[in-house]
Amino acid sequence: RKEVEQDPGPFNVPEGATVAFNCTYSNSASQSFFWYRQDCRKEPKLLMSVYSSGNEDGRFTAQLNRASQYISLLIRDSKLSDSATYLCVVNGNSGNTPLVFGKGTRLSVIA
Amino acid sequence: NAGVTQTPKFRILKIGQSMTLQCAQDMNHNYMYWYRQDPGMGLKLIYYSVGAGITDKGEVPNGYNVSRSTTEDFPLRLELAAPSQTSVYFCASSPSREADTQYFGPGTRLTVL
């Protein structure tokens, strides 16, 4: 099992739609979880941290399921500006990989 | 506050040439990282540093070297460039290693021909 796995997409959704991404991780001892956003040809930027109890930031909701080792990101009322690649990030399971980045899920929001 | 800066933005190298990718941060972060990102792939850690004078290998260190003489700077050296090193290189920094957010520079696009 890969350390962090994501559906690469693309997810093509109309403006205003609700879309959800899942991510699975292999290390049951992982403690830190994040969603990053990466625009085309740009650097990754933190979207939100993921907390055990779940957390919300405006239209974005992140959930953590430790028992099943997956993380989810829900985007409500999608905007054109949400089009990007969303990276699932988990702290690594060995001393030389502080954070492990998934390959990302590509989202295109269409007018 | 510029955050993390990287130079150059673009570079084309010939096989066998060497170069240094520069990275600097002005947030007084102790931890700094170098990643490479190949098309359609995730970020792979090359080297990281937990403070001035201390560096450690990541997942894909072969063909690269780093140094960390100051808190602010973390250059990445490519010796004897190979086509397999064609990639986008990102530098990042964080206050601590695992729990904290990493802040990324804008990247260097390197092509080796």
Side-chain angles (χ1 to χ4, degrees), chain B residues 8-101:
Chain B
K9 285 188 170 57
F10 305 94
R11 184 72 186 267
I12 297 175
L13 282 182
K14 293 182 179 178
I15 294 171
Q17 285 185 321
S18 302
M19 76 164 294
T20 299
L21 282 65
Q22 301 291 345
C23 173
Q25 53 93 8
D26 61 0
M27 298 175 282
N28 202 32
H29 286 170
N30 286 323
Y31 293 77
M32 296 187 74
Y33 313 83
W34 274 106
Y35 294 91
R36 61 177 286 172
Q37 186 176 37
D38 299 327
M41 302 296 286
L43 293 161
K44 293 186 178 179
L45 184 66
I46 305 171
Y47 270 97
Y48 68 100
S49 169
V50 303
I54 306 168
T55 62
D56 210 344
K57 294 178 180 179
E59 185 184 356
V60 289
N62 291 343
Y64 308 94
N65 278 299
V66 293
S67 60
R68 183 99 181 268
S69 57
T70 66
T71 299
E72 294 77 21
D73 299 299
F74 190 38
L76 178 72
R77 177 83 177 161
L78 278 72
E79 305 282 1
L80 298 175
S84 60
Q85 293 178 305
T86 293
S87 191
V88 180
Y89 291 85
F90 290 105
C91 178
S93 72
S94 69
S96 70
R97 191 172 92 168
E98 291 187 351
D100 277 7
T101 302

Side-chain angles (χ1 to χ4, degrees), chain A residues 32 34 36 38 41-44 46 49 87 91-92 94-99 101-103, chain B residues 33 35 37 40-43 45 48 57-58 90 97-102 104-106 109:
Chain A
S32 302
F34 308 92
Y36 276 68
Q38 186 172 24
R41 302 177 74 83
K42 297 286 190 181
E43 73 273 24
L46 178 70
S49 300
L87 308 178
N91 72 293
S94 65
N96 64 351
T97 52
L99 289 180
F101 287 76
K103 293 181 182 180
Chain B
Y33 313 83
Y35 294 91
Q37 186 176 37
M41 302 296 286
L43 293 161
L45 184 66
Y48 68 100
K57 294 178 180 179
F90 290 105
R97 191 172 92 168
E98 291 187 351
D100 277 7
T101 302
Q102 290 186 15
F104 284 80
R109 294 186 175 277

